[in-house]
Amino acid sequence: MNIGQASSASGVSAKMIRYYESIGLISPPLRTESNYRVYGADEVHTLRFVKRARTLGFSVEETATLLGLWQDKTRASAEVKDIATAHIGALETKITELQSMVKTLKHLAHCCSGDNRPNCPILDDLAGTPASKGH
């Protein structure tokens, strides 16, 4: 199948397929005599693996490591679990940071009267200045 068909079958855009090939995340496929890429079921399966890993938030580097482990049938699952567990910790940290941002923004939005006056505690906070007092 060509790159468009591989894209449809895997859910990875043709642009991202080319990018993943250019950075060495996936091996370049065979090419026809006219230099068109030719993808088979194995390449599509690899693309689906990459898509799923990226959807779960793994970095390109982590995805490359996981892909190598997936392709190594002699691997120990402990290494895979360590990568996943570290990623869970990073996600939990990010969730905590996002929840803190939401709390702060809710407070600032509550403090803003949202009327026709120019003073705004949201902009004051962003500017790092004390809240305006009736200016």
Side-chain angles (χ1 to χ4, degrees):
M1 67 184 80
N2 64 30
I3 195 166
Q5 293 164 325
S7 173
S8 294
S10 66
V12 178
S13 72
K15 181 178 180 179
M16 288 307 295
I17 293 172
R18 287 186 198 95
Y19 172 69
Y20 291 150
E21 288 172 10
S22 75
I23 64 169
L25 181 61
I26 59 174
S27 300
L30 298 174
R31 290 187 178 253
T32 64
E33 287 185 21
S34 50
N35 210 30
Y36 287 105
R37 292 170 173 88
V38 179
Y39 297 86
D42 289 343
E43 289 86 6
V44 170
H45 196 187
T46 298
L47 288 168
R48 286 182 182 144
F49 181 97
V50 169
K51 169 85 171 173
R52 181 68 174 146
R54 298 291 288 141
T55 298
L56 288 173
F58 287 102
S59 68
V60 170
E61 294 78 16
E62 290 166 328
T63 299
T65 301
L66 290 168
L67 187 58
L69 289 167
W70 177 59
Q71 292 168 336
D72 177 6
K73 302 304 179 199
T74 65
R75 72 187 170 265
S77 64
E79 189 174 353
V80 179
K81 185 174 181 175
D82 289 345
I83 294 167
T85 303
H87 187 58
I88 290 167
L91 288 172
E92 289 173 338
T93 298
K94 187 68 173 176
I95 289 167
T96 300
E97 291 168 354
L98 290 170
Q99 288 171 331
S100 176
M101 287 184 229
V102 167
K103 182 179 176 184
T104 299
L105 287 170
K106 280 183 176 181
H107 171 73
L108 291 170
H110 174 75
C111 293
C112 181
S113 58
D115 55 20
N116 292 329
R117 293 180 297 174
N119 54 325
C120 176
I122 299 168
L123 294 176
D124 291 340
D125 182 84
L126 293 173
T129 58
S132 300
K133 300 289 182 195
H135 292 117

